Amino acid sequence: MNRVMGAVIDYFNIVLVRYGEISVKGVRTRRRMEGLLVKALKEALESFKVRGRIDVSEGRIFIWDPDDVEGAVRAVARVFGVKSLSPAYATEFTDLEDLVARASEFFSDKVKGKVFRVRARRVGSHNFTSKDVERILGAKLLELGASKVNLENPEYTAYVEIRGRRLFMYDKIYEGPGGLPLGSEENVLVLFSGGFDSTVASWMLMKRGCPVHLVHYDLGFPETVKVALEAAKFLSDNWSYGHKMRMYIVNFKGAALIVNGLISPPYRTLVMRGLMVKHAESLAEKLGIEALATGESIGQVASQTIRNIHLVERSVKLPIIRPLAGFDKDEIIKTSMKIGTYEINKKQIEVCGLAATPTPKGRLDKFEKELDKVSDIIIPDPIEIDLKNSSLQEILGKLGLK
Ligand code: ATP
Ligand code: MG
Protein backbone atom coordinates (compact mmCIF):
# COMPACT_ATOMS: atom_id res chain seq x y z
CA MET A 1 0.00 0.00 0.00
CA ASN A 2 1.19 3.50 -0.77
CA ARG A 3 2.10 5.80 2.06
CA VAL A 4 2.91 9.18 0.62
CA MET A 5 2.87 11.54 3.52
CA GLY A 6 4.49 14.86 2.86
CA ALA A 7 4.01 14.71 -0.91
CA VAL A 8 1.00 15.93 -2.82
CA ILE A 9 -1.16 12.91 -3.53
CA ASP A 10 -2.84 13.41 -6.85
CA TYR A 11 -3.36 9.89 -8.00
CA PHE A 12 -5.64 6.98 -7.23
CA ASN A 13 -4.47 3.53 -6.22
CA ILE A 14 -7.79 1.75 -6.06
CA VAL A 15 -11.24 1.55 -7.63
CA LEU A 16 -14.13 1.01 -5.21
CA VAL A 17 -16.92 -1.04 -6.73
CA ARG A 18 -20.34 -0.93 -5.08
CA TYR A 19 -23.05 -3.42 -5.83
CA GLY A 20 -26.67 -2.94 -5.11
CA GLU A 21 -29.16 -5.76 -5.09
CA ILE A 22 -26.66 -8.53 -4.40
CA SER A 23 -26.14 -7.20 -0.92
CA VAL A 24 -29.73 -7.91 0.11
CA LYS A 25 -29.55 -11.61 -0.88
CA GLY A 26 -29.04 -14.53 1.49
CA VAL A 27 -25.45 -15.61 2.23
CA ARG A 28 -25.22 -18.46 -0.32
CA THR A 29 -26.83 -16.56 -3.17
CA ARG A 30 -24.68 -13.59 -2.35
CA ARG A 31 -21.46 -15.63 -2.44
CA ARG A 32 -22.43 -17.09 -5.80
CA MET A 33 -23.30 -13.69 -7.22
CA GLU A 34 -20.11 -12.11 -5.90
CA GLY A 35 -18.19 -14.90 -7.64
CA LEU A 36 -19.97 -14.15 -10.92
CA LEU A 37 -19.34 -10.44 -10.50
CA VAL A 38 -15.63 -10.96 -9.90
CA LYS A 39 -15.39 -13.22 -12.96
CA ALA A 40 -17.10 -10.58 -15.11
CA LEU A 41 -14.92 -7.79 -13.68
CA LYS A 42 -11.77 -9.80 -14.47
CA GLU A 43 -12.89 -10.25 -18.05
CA ALA A 44 -13.84 -6.60 -18.40
CA LEU A 45 -10.47 -5.46 -17.06
CA GLU A 46 -8.65 -7.86 -19.39
CA SER A 47 -10.65 -6.59 -22.31
CA PHE A 48 -9.60 -3.01 -21.47
CA LYS A 49 -6.04 -4.28 -20.95
CA VAL A 50 -5.98 -3.12 -17.35
CA ARG A 51 -4.07 -4.99 -14.68
CA GLY A 52 -5.21 -4.82 -11.07
CA ARG A 53 -5.87 -7.01 -8.05
CA ILE A 54 -9.50 -7.79 -7.25
CA ASP A 55 -10.48 -8.24 -3.64
CA VAL A 56 -13.94 -8.81 -2.15
CA SER A 57 -14.70 -7.88 1.42
CA GLU A 58 -17.57 -6.52 3.49
CA GLY A 59 -20.01 -6.05 0.63
CA ARG A 60 -17.56 -4.19 -1.59
CA ILE A 61 -15.20 -5.09 -4.36
CA PHE A 62 -11.84 -3.37 -4.47
CA ILE A 63 -9.59 -3.20 -7.49
CA TRP A 64 -6.14 -2.51 -6.07
CA ASP A 65 -3.36 -0.75 -7.92
CA PRO A 66 -4.92 -0.65 -11.38
CA ASP A 67 -2.21 0.32 -13.86
CA ASP A 68 -4.74 2.42 -15.80
CA VAL A 69 -7.38 3.99 -13.57
CA GLU A 70 -9.39 5.51 -16.41
CA GLY A 71 -9.46 2.18 -18.24
CA ALA A 72 -10.51 0.46 -15.01
CA VAL A 73 -13.38 2.91 -14.56
CA ARG A 74 -14.57 2.39 -18.12
CA ALA A 75 -14.34 -1.40 -17.77
CA VAL A 76 -16.16 -1.61 -14.44
CA ALA A 77 -18.97 0.64 -15.70
CA ARG A 78 -19.76 -2.07 -18.27
CA VAL A 79 -20.35 -4.84 -15.77
CA PHE A 80 -23.88 -5.79 -14.73
CA GLY A 81 -24.41 -5.89 -10.99
CA VAL A 82 -22.22 -2.83 -10.43
CA LYS A 83 -24.24 -0.04 -8.88
CA SER A 84 -21.54 2.60 -8.76
CA LEU A 85 -17.79 3.00 -8.64
CA SER A 86 -15.17 5.48 -7.54
CA PRO A 87 -11.49 5.78 -8.25
CA ALA A 88 -9.99 6.42 -4.83
CA TYR A 89 -6.83 6.81 -2.88
CA ALA A 90 -6.48 4.28 -0.07
CA THR A 91 -4.17 4.60 2.88
CA GLU A 92 -4.06 3.71 6.58
CA PHE A 93 -4.33 5.99 9.58
CA THR A 94 -3.62 5.76 13.29
CA ASP A 95 -6.03 8.18 14.96
CA LEU A 96 -8.39 11.04 14.14
CA GLU A 97 -5.58 13.58 13.96
CA ASP A 98 -3.61 11.43 11.54
CA LEU A 99 -6.76 10.81 9.49
CA VAL A 100 -7.49 14.53 9.16
CA ALA A 101 -3.86 15.21 8.24
CA ARG A 102 -3.91 12.61 5.49
CA ALA A 103 -7.30 13.65 4.18
CA SER A 104 -6.46 17.35 4.15
CA GLU A 105 -3.27 16.60 2.27
CA PHE A 106 -5.27 14.65 -0.31
CA PHE A 107 -8.05 17.20 -0.70
CA SER A 108 -6.43 20.60 -0.05
CA ASP A 109 -5.43 21.35 -3.65
CA LYS A 110 -8.65 19.94 -5.02
CA VAL A 111 -10.96 22.12 -2.89
CA LYS A 112 -8.95 25.33 -3.20
CA GLY A 113 -11.31 28.27 -3.88
CA LYS A 114 -14.31 25.97 -4.12
CA VAL A 115 -17.69 25.74 -2.41
CA PHE A 116 -17.51 22.26 -0.91
CA ARG A 117 -18.71 19.71 1.57
CA VAL A 118 -17.22 16.67 3.26
CA ARG A 119 -19.13 13.41 3.26
CA ALA A 120 -17.82 10.76 5.62
CA ARG A 121 -18.83 7.14 6.17
CA ARG A 122 -17.47 4.84 8.79
CA VAL A 123 -17.41 1.06 9.34
CA GLY A 124 -15.78 -0.42 12.45
CA SER A 125 -15.23 0.89 15.95
CA HIS A 126 -13.58 4.24 16.43
CA ASN A 127 -13.55 6.87 19.14
CA PHE A 128 -15.01 9.43 16.74
CA THR A 129 -18.12 9.60 14.55
CA SER A 130 -18.39 10.29 10.84
CA LYS A 131 -19.97 13.64 11.74
CA ASP A 132 -16.79 14.49 13.71
CA VAL A 133 -14.74 13.76 10.60
CA GLU A 134 -16.97 15.94 8.44
CA ARG A 135 -16.77 18.81 10.90
CA ILE A 136 -13.05 18.69 11.68
CA LEU A 137 -11.88 17.96 8.13
CA GLY A 138 -14.26 20.62 6.79
CA ALA A 139 -12.76 23.25 9.13
CA LYS A 140 -9.24 22.17 8.17
CA LEU A 141 -9.97 22.45 4.44
CA LEU A 142 -11.42 25.94 4.96
CA GLU A 143 -8.20 26.88 6.70
CA LEU A 144 -6.25 25.52 3.73
CA GLY A 145 -8.03 27.69 1.18
CA ALA A 146 -11.44 26.20 0.36
CA SER A 147 -14.00 28.95 -0.24
CA LYS A 148 -16.98 27.86 1.86
CA VAL A 149 -19.15 24.96 2.92
CA ASN A 150 -22.47 24.25 1.23
CA LEU A 151 -24.09 20.95 2.13
CA GLU A 152 -26.91 21.16 -0.40
CA ASN A 153 -25.27 22.41 -3.53
CA PRO A 154 -21.47 22.21 -3.40
CA GLU A 155 -19.09 22.51 -6.36
CA TYR A 156 -16.94 19.80 -4.87
CA THR A 157 -17.59 16.90 -2.52
CA ALA A 158 -14.74 15.36 -0.58
CA TYR A 159 -15.74 11.77 0.16
CA VAL A 160 -14.04 9.98 3.01
CA GLU A 161 -14.69 6.34 3.79
CA ILE A 162 -13.26 4.80 6.92
CA ARG A 163 -13.11 1.03 7.31
CA GLY A 164 -11.25 -0.05 10.41
CA ARG A 165 -7.79 1.48 10.03
CA ARG A 166 -8.23 1.99 6.33
CA LEU A 167 -9.07 5.33 4.81
CA PHE A 168 -10.46 5.75 1.30
CA MET A 169 -10.73 9.18 -0.29
CA TYR A 170 -12.41 10.14 -3.53
CA ASP A 171 -14.40 12.86 -5.23
CA LYS A 172 -16.35 11.12 -7.96
CA ILE A 173 -19.06 8.50 -8.01
CA TYR A 174 -19.75 7.00 -11.43
CA GLU A 175 -22.91 5.06 -12.11
CA GLY A 176 -22.73 1.40 -13.11
CA PRO A 177 -25.49 -0.34 -15.06
CA GLY A 178 -26.94 -1.90 -11.88
CA GLY A 179 -28.91 -5.15 -12.02
CA LEU A 180 -27.48 -8.61 -11.31
CA PRO A 181 -24.25 -10.22 -12.50
CA LEU A 182 -24.52 -12.15 -15.76
CA GLY A 183 -25.17 -15.79 -15.01
CA SER A 184 -27.25 -15.12 -11.87
CA GLU A 185 -30.25 -16.19 -13.96
CA GLU A 186 -30.91 -18.80 -16.63
CA ASN A 187 -30.15 -18.32 -20.33
CA VAL A 188 -32.70 -16.70 -22.63
CA LEU A 189 -32.96 -16.91 -26.43
CA VAL A 190 -33.84 -13.50 -27.86
CA LEU A 191 -35.54 -13.06 -31.24
CA PHE A 192 -33.13 -10.45 -32.46
CA SER A 193 -33.75 -8.18 -35.42
CA GLY A 194 -30.99 -5.67 -34.62
CA GLY A 195 -33.44 -2.77 -34.40
CA PHE A 196 -33.77 -0.58 -31.31
CA ASP A 197 -36.27 -2.80 -29.55
CA SER A 198 -34.70 -6.24 -29.62
CA THR A 199 -31.27 -4.77 -28.86
CA VAL A 200 -32.52 -2.89 -25.80
CA ALA A 201 -34.58 -5.94 -24.74
CA SER A 202 -31.44 -8.12 -24.87
CA TRP A 203 -29.53 -5.62 -22.78
CA MET A 204 -32.31 -5.41 -20.19
CA LEU A 205 -32.34 -9.19 -19.82
CA MET A 206 -28.57 -9.24 -19.37
CA LYS A 207 -28.98 -6.52 -16.79
CA ARG A 208 -31.18 -8.91 -14.81
CA GLY A 209 -28.48 -11.56 -14.95
CA CYS A 210 -29.71 -13.61 -17.95
CA PRO A 211 -26.99 -14.68 -20.36
CA VAL A 212 -28.66 -14.24 -23.76
CA HIS A 213 -28.17 -15.94 -27.08
CA LEU A 214 -29.68 -14.42 -30.19
CA VAL A 215 -31.62 -15.79 -33.12
CA HIS A 216 -32.04 -13.72 -36.26
CA TYR A 217 -34.39 -14.60 -39.10
CA ASP A 218 -32.89 -13.69 -42.46
CA LEU A 219 -35.76 -12.62 -44.68
CA GLY A 220 -33.55 -11.99 -47.69
CA PHE A 221 -32.15 -8.51 -47.08
CA PRO A 222 -28.36 -8.71 -46.66
CA GLU A 223 -28.12 -5.17 -45.22
CA THR A 224 -30.56 -6.10 -42.47
CA VAL A 225 -28.57 -9.19 -41.54
CA LYS A 226 -25.37 -7.13 -41.49
CA VAL A 227 -26.83 -4.54 -39.12
CA ALA A 228 -28.22 -7.30 -36.88
CA LEU A 229 -24.73 -8.83 -36.73
CA GLU A 230 -23.16 -5.49 -35.99
CA ALA A 231 -25.58 -4.83 -33.11
CA ALA A 232 -25.07 -8.36 -31.77
CA LYS A 233 -21.29 -8.02 -31.96
CA PHE A 234 -21.48 -4.72 -30.08
CA LEU A 235 -23.49 -6.29 -27.25
CA SER A 236 -21.12 -9.22 -27.11
CA ASP A 237 -17.95 -7.09 -27.13
CA ASN A 238 -19.13 -4.41 -24.72
CA TRP A 239 -21.71 -5.87 -22.38
CA SER A 240 -21.30 -9.60 -22.01
CA TYR A 241 -18.27 -9.97 -19.76
CA GLY A 242 -18.50 -13.34 -18.08
CA HIS A 243 -20.56 -14.86 -20.90
CA LYS A 244 -19.97 -16.26 -24.38
CA MET A 245 -22.80 -14.98 -26.52
CA ARG A 246 -23.82 -16.92 -29.62
CA MET A 247 -26.01 -15.90 -32.50
CA TYR A 248 -28.05 -18.13 -34.78
CA ILE A 249 -28.86 -16.97 -38.28
CA VAL A 250 -31.85 -18.72 -39.78
CA ASN A 251 -32.53 -18.65 -43.49
CA PHE A 252 -36.19 -17.59 -43.57
CA LYS A 253 -36.30 -16.44 -47.19
CA GLY A 254 -38.28 -19.47 -48.30
CA ALA A 255 -40.70 -19.05 -45.41
CA ALA A 256 -41.23 -15.38 -46.32
CA LEU A 257 -41.98 -16.28 -49.94
CA ILE A 258 -44.47 -18.94 -48.97
CA VAL A 259 -46.21 -16.67 -46.45
CA ASN A 260 -46.47 -13.92 -49.06
CA GLY A 261 -47.95 -16.38 -51.54
CA LEU A 262 -50.40 -18.24 -49.32
CA ILE A 263 -51.50 -16.07 -46.43
CA SER A 264 -54.24 -13.47 -46.51
CA PRO A 265 -52.62 -9.99 -46.15
CA PRO A 266 -53.91 -8.95 -42.68
CA TYR A 267 -52.50 -12.19 -41.22
CA ARG A 268 -49.12 -12.25 -42.95
CA THR A 269 -47.08 -10.55 -40.26
CA LEU A 270 -48.81 -12.54 -37.53
CA VAL A 271 -48.23 -15.85 -39.29
CA MET A 272 -44.62 -14.90 -39.92
CA ARG A 273 -44.16 -14.09 -36.21
CA GLY A 274 -45.93 -17.33 -35.32
CA LEU A 275 -43.43 -19.26 -37.47
CA MET A 276 -40.53 -17.41 -35.89
CA VAL A 277 -41.52 -18.08 -32.28
CA LYS A 278 -42.30 -21.71 -33.06
CA HIS A 279 -38.89 -22.14 -34.66
CA ALA A 280 -37.18 -20.24 -31.85
CA GLU A 281 -38.84 -22.52 -29.33
CA SER A 282 -37.52 -25.66 -31.00
CA LEU A 283 -34.05 -24.11 -31.23
CA ALA A 284 -34.19 -23.11 -27.54
CA GLU A 285 -35.19 -26.63 -26.59
CA LYS A 286 -32.23 -28.06 -28.51
CA LEU A 287 -29.94 -25.63 -26.71
CA GLY A 288 -31.45 -26.31 -23.28
CA ILE A 289 -32.73 -22.73 -23.00
CA GLU A 290 -35.88 -22.20 -20.95
CA ALA A 291 -37.30 -18.92 -22.21
CA LEU A 292 -37.63 -16.78 -25.33
CA ALA A 293 -37.73 -12.99 -25.50
CA THR A 294 -38.74 -10.32 -27.99
CA GLY A 295 -38.49 -6.55 -28.19
CA GLU A 296 -42.25 -6.09 -28.33
CA SER A 297 -43.86 -3.16 -26.59
CA ILE A 298 -47.61 -3.15 -26.06
CA GLY A 299 -49.50 -1.38 -28.79
CA GLN A 300 -46.38 -0.05 -30.56
CA VAL A 301 -47.59 -1.47 -33.89
CA ALA A 302 -50.61 -3.50 -34.93
CA SER A 303 -48.77 -6.81 -34.48
CA GLN A 304 -48.08 -5.91 -30.85
CA THR A 305 -51.58 -5.46 -29.52
CA ILE A 306 -52.53 -7.76 -26.64
CA ARG A 307 -54.84 -9.69 -28.97
CA ASN A 308 -52.15 -10.30 -31.54
CA ILE A 309 -49.50 -11.11 -28.94
CA HIS A 310 -51.91 -13.75 -27.66
CA LEU A 311 -52.49 -15.23 -31.14
CA VAL A 312 -48.80 -15.37 -32.01
CA GLU A 313 -47.70 -17.09 -28.83
CA ARG A 314 -50.55 -19.58 -28.57
CA SER A 315 -48.65 -22.42 -30.17
CA VAL A 316 -45.59 -21.97 -27.98
CA LYS A 317 -45.11 -23.44 -24.50
CA LEU A 318 -41.92 -21.72 -23.42
CA PRO A 319 -42.39 -18.39 -21.67
CA ILE A 320 -41.86 -15.40 -23.95
CA ILE A 321 -40.40 -12.51 -22.00
CA ARG A 322 -40.99 -8.97 -23.23
CA PRO A 323 -38.75 -6.67 -21.25
CA LEU A 324 -40.04 -3.61 -23.12
CA ALA A 325 -43.76 -4.28 -22.70
CA GLY A 326 -44.30 -1.00 -20.84
CA PHE A 327 -41.73 1.19 -22.58
CA ASP A 328 -42.44 4.08 -24.93
CA LYS A 329 -40.35 4.28 -28.08
CA ASP A 330 -38.49 7.38 -26.90
CA GLU A 331 -37.50 5.61 -23.69
CA ILE A 332 -36.21 2.68 -25.73
CA ILE A 333 -34.20 4.98 -27.99
CA LYS A 334 -32.74 6.81 -24.99
CA THR A 335 -31.65 3.47 -23.55
CA SER A 336 -29.97 2.53 -26.84
CA MET A 337 -27.91 5.71 -26.52
CA LYS A 338 -26.84 4.70 -23.05
CA ILE A 339 -25.91 1.21 -24.28
CA GLY A 340 -24.02 2.64 -27.25
CA THR A 341 -25.99 0.97 -30.02
CA TYR A 342 -28.05 3.97 -31.19
CA GLU A 343 -26.10 4.57 -34.41
CA ILE A 344 -26.23 0.88 -35.34
CA ASN A 345 -29.91 0.43 -34.51
CA LYS A 346 -30.80 3.55 -36.46
CA LYS A 347 -29.51 1.90 -39.63
CA GLN A 348 -31.88 -1.00 -39.25
CA ILE A 349 -34.65 -0.55 -41.75
CA GLU A 350 -38.04 -1.71 -40.77
CA VAL A 351 -38.32 -4.82 -42.87
CA CYS A 352 -40.51 -7.71 -42.06
CA GLY A 353 -40.40 -8.92 -45.63
CA LEU A 354 -44.12 -8.42 -45.89
CA ALA A 355 -45.94 -5.40 -47.19
CA ALA A 356 -49.18 -6.00 -45.33
CA THR A 357 -50.10 -4.51 -41.96
CA PRO A 358 -51.95 -6.86 -39.61
CA THR A 359 -55.38 -6.12 -38.28
CA PRO A 360 -55.05 -4.87 -34.67
CA LYS A 361 -57.62 -7.45 -33.54
CA GLY A 362 -56.84 -10.72 -35.26
CA ARG A 363 -59.43 -13.48 -34.94
CA LEU A 364 -58.29 -16.74 -33.43
CA ASP A 365 -60.20 -19.02 -35.84
CA LYS A 366 -58.97 -17.13 -38.91
CA PHE A 367 -55.40 -16.96 -37.62
CA GLU A 368 -55.30 -20.71 -36.96
CA LYS A 369 -56.68 -21.47 -40.40
CA GLU A 370 -54.00 -19.28 -41.96
CA LEU A 371 -51.25 -20.79 -39.82
CA ASP A 372 -52.37 -24.28 -40.86
CA LYS A 373 -51.58 -23.44 -44.48
CA VAL A 374 -47.88 -23.22 -43.65
CA SER A 375 -47.61 -25.90 -41.00
CA ASP A 376 -45.37 -28.14 -43.10
CA ILE A 377 -42.84 -25.48 -44.03
CA ILE A 378 -39.24 -26.70 -43.82
CA ILE A 379 -36.67 -24.35 -42.35
CA PRO A 380 -32.94 -24.91 -43.00
CA ASP A 381 -30.66 -25.46 -39.99
CA PRO A 382 -29.35 -22.21 -38.50
CA ILE A 383 -25.78 -21.03 -38.85
CA GLU A 384 -24.17 -20.73 -35.43
CA ILE A 385 -21.89 -17.78 -34.75
CA ASP A 386 -19.50 -17.49 -31.84
CA LEU A 387 -19.73 -13.74 -31.30
CA LYS A 388 -17.00 -13.53 -28.70
CA ASN A 389 -14.27 -15.28 -30.65
CA SER A 390 -14.84 -14.02 -34.18
CA SER A 391 -14.41 -10.55 -35.64
CA LEU A 392 -17.26 -8.91 -37.53
CA GLN A 393 -15.20 -9.27 -40.73
CA GLU A 394 -14.78 -13.02 -40.15
CA ILE A 395 -18.48 -13.42 -39.48
CA LEU A 396 -19.52 -11.46 -42.58
CA GLY A 397 -17.06 -13.53 -44.60
CA LYS A 398 -18.48 -16.79 -43.26
CA LEU A 399 -21.97 -15.67 -44.28
CA GLY A 400 -20.88 -14.35 -47.69
CA LEU A 401 -21.96 -10.83 -46.75
CA LYS A 402 -18.71 -8.89 -47.19
P1 ATP B 1 -37.02 -4.13 -33.41
O1 ATP B 1 -36.72 -2.70 -33.05
O2 ATP B 1 -36.44 -5.13 -32.45
O3 ATP B 1 -36.73 -4.41 -34.84
P2 ATP B 1 -39.75 -3.57 -34.08
O4 ATP B 1 -40.28 -2.43 -33.36
O5 ATP B 1 -39.28 -3.34 -35.45
O6 ATP B 1 -38.61 -4.29 -33.21
P3 ATP B 1 -41.29 -5.73 -35.07
O7 ATP B 1 -40.58 -5.65 -36.35
O8 ATP B 1 -42.77 -5.76 -35.03
O9 ATP B 1 -40.91 -4.63 -34.04
O10 ATP B 1 -40.76 -7.01 -34.32
C1 ATP B 1 -41.17 -7.35 -33.02
C2 ATP B 1 -40.14 -8.29 -32.40
O11 ATP B 1 -40.08 -9.50 -33.16
C3 ATP B 1 -38.74 -7.74 -32.45
O12 ATP B 1 -38.46 -6.89 -31.37
C4 ATP B 1 -37.93 -9.00 -32.40
O13 ATP B 1 -37.87 -9.50 -31.10
C5 ATP B 1 -38.74 -9.94 -33.26
N1 ATP B 1 -38.29 -9.91 -34.66
C6 ATP B 1 -38.79 -9.20 -35.66
N2 ATP B 1 -38.13 -9.42 -36.83
C7 ATP B 1 -37.19 -10.35 -36.53
C8 ATP B 1 -36.17 -11.01 -37.28
N3 ATP B 1 -36.01 -10.80 -38.59
N4 ATP B 1 -35.38 -11.89 -36.64
C9 ATP B 1 -35.53 -12.12 -35.31
N5 ATP B 1 -36.47 -11.54 -34.57
C10 ATP B 1 -37.29 -10.66 -35.15
MG1 MG C 1 -37.98 -4.55 -36.55
Side-chain angles (χ1 to χ4, degrees):
M1 192 179 301
N2 284 295
R3 288 176 164 273
V4 200
M5 288 303 287
V8 175
I9 307 161
D10 60 353
Y11 66 97
F12 299 115
N13 59 358
I14 195 168
V15 175
L16 305 181
V17 182
R18 305 177 192 88
Y19 41 85
E21 254 178 77
I22 305 174
S23 44
V24 301
K25 304 278 179 196
V27 178
R28 274 182 48 198
T29 309
R30 181 171 161 171
R31 288 256 160 76
R32 189 172 71 84
M33 288 191 180
E34 282 172 346
L36 290 167
L37 190 54
V38 167
K39 177 175 166 232
L41 284 167
K42 269 193 189 139
E43 250 190 66
L45 290 173
E46 267 165 34
S47 149
F48 280 77
K49 303 200 175 7
V50 178
R51 268 191 304 241
R53 205 158 29 83
I54 301 180
D55 172 34
V56 189
S57 69
E58 301 167 43
R60 280 279 158 88
I61 294 180
F62 303 94
I63 300 169
W64 287 98
D65 300 314
D67 59 354
D68 167 9
V69 173
E70 225 185 284
V73 167
R74 280 194 288 140
V76 174
R78 286 276 169 84
V79 174
F80 293 111
V82 172
K83 188 173 167 232
S84 69
L85 54 140
S86 297
Y89 182 75
T91 183
E92 283 183 4
F93 68 97
T94 51
D95 54 16
L96 182 58
E97 193 185 334
D98 184 40
L99 186 158
V100 171
R102 287 168 187 272
S104 47
E105 184 189 4
F106 182 78
F107 288 115
S108 63
D109 271 8
K110 299 179 171 69
V111 295
K112 215 155 251 162
K114 290 200 177 124
V115 178
F116 80 109
R117 69 177 167 187
V118 177
R119 276 279 172 90
R121 283 180 47 137
R122 201 178 55 82
V123 179
S125 74
H126 302 93
N127 59 0
F128 54 84
T129 65
S130 43
K131 284 281 161 255
D132 294 336
V133 174
E134 291 180 352
R135 202 168 30 81
I136 299 171
L137 179 59
K140 183 80 190 166
L141 291 174
L142 277 174
E143 233 177 82
L144 292 172
S147 138
K148 65 177 191 185
V149 174
N150 184 335
L151 300 178
E152 301 303 313
N153 195 17
E155 274 174 87
Y156 185 91
T157 301
Y159 292 99
V160 174
E161 223 175 282
I162 300 144
R163 291 174 170 258
R165 288 287 147 226
R166 266 187 193 155
L167 168 65
F168 300 93
M169 298 172 284
Y170 52 93
D171 55 13
K172 283 194 183 64
I173 301 178
Y174 297 98
E175 247 185 72
L180 299 171
L182 259 184
S184 307
E185 267 296 332
E186 301 301 322
N187 290 359
V188 174
L189 183 64
V190 184
L191 283 87
F192 190 81
S193 70
F196 286 108
D197 303 335
S198 44
T199 303
V200 173
S202 307
W203 186 85
M204 307 259 311
L205 283 164
M206 290 201 278
K207 178 167 180 266
R208 295 308 299 166
C210 303
V212 301
H213 296 291
L214 313 174
V215 56
H216 177 74
Y217 293 95
D218 171 6
L219 302 171
F221 305 92
E223 273 316 305
T224 305
V225 182
K226 270 191 187 172
V227 175
L229 284 165
E230 207 184 320
K233 184 69 181 146
F234 187 96
L235 287 180
S236 167
D237 286 351
N238 295 282
W239 290 104
S240 71
Y241 304 114
H243 168 51
K244 288 189 177 63
M245 198 190 273
R246 294 189 304 269
M247 184 165 183
Y248 297 86
I249 309 281
V250 185
N251 183 339
F252 236 51
K253 296 170 210 169
L257 277 176
I258 294 171
V259 167
N260 269 330
L262 292 183
I263 304 298
S264 127
Y267 286 89
R268 279 182 197 165
T269 305
L270 299 184
V271 167
M272 198 64 178
R273 287 270 185 281
L275 289 174
M276 284 181 190
V277 291
K278 196 78 196 144
H279 180 273
E281 178 180 57
S282 67
L283 177 60
E285 277 169 349
K286 266 185 225 148
L287 299 170
I289 295 177
E290 295 171 47
L292 304 176
T294 70
E296 287 161 310
S297 141
I298 295 168
Q300 191 190 79
V301 287
S303 61
Q304 297 175 23
T305 59
I306 294 292
R307 169 69 60 82
N308 289 344
I309 283 175
H310 174 209
L311 296 189
V312 167
E313 79 164 46
R314 265 182 75 85
S315 53
V316 171
K317 287 196 196 69
L318 283 186
I320 302 181
I321 298 171
R322 298 178 175 84
L324 307 185
F327 275 58
D328 297 347
K329 194 79 190 189
D330 59 339
E331 293 171 293
I332 296 168
I333 291 177
K334 236 187 245 158
T335 312
S336 80
M337 291 174 180
K338 189 166 114 184
I339 301 171
T341 53
Y342 174 81
E343 293 297 332
I344 303 171
N345 297 144
K346 204 172 67 173
K347 290 192 281 187
Q348 194 59 296
I349 2 154
E350 293 292 320
V351 188
C352 55
L354 310 153
T357 306
T359 154
K361 277 200 169 195
R363 274 177 41 195
L364 178 59
D365 53 344
K366 275 215 85 175
F367 174 70
E368 294 202 321
K369 233 166 84 194
E370 295 291 331
L371 197 58
D372 257 1
K373 295 182 189 166
V374 292
S375 60
D376 52 0
I377 250 178
I378 294 172
I379 315 278
D381 281 343
I383 300 174
E384 182 182 303
I385 290 161
D386 174 355
L387 289 167
K388 190 143 257 169
N389 296 308
S390 11
S391 71
L392 191 57
Q393 286 313 308
E394 280 164 3
I395 300 169
L396 294 177
K398 178 172 172 177
L399 295 169
L401 287 172
K402 258 206 252 189

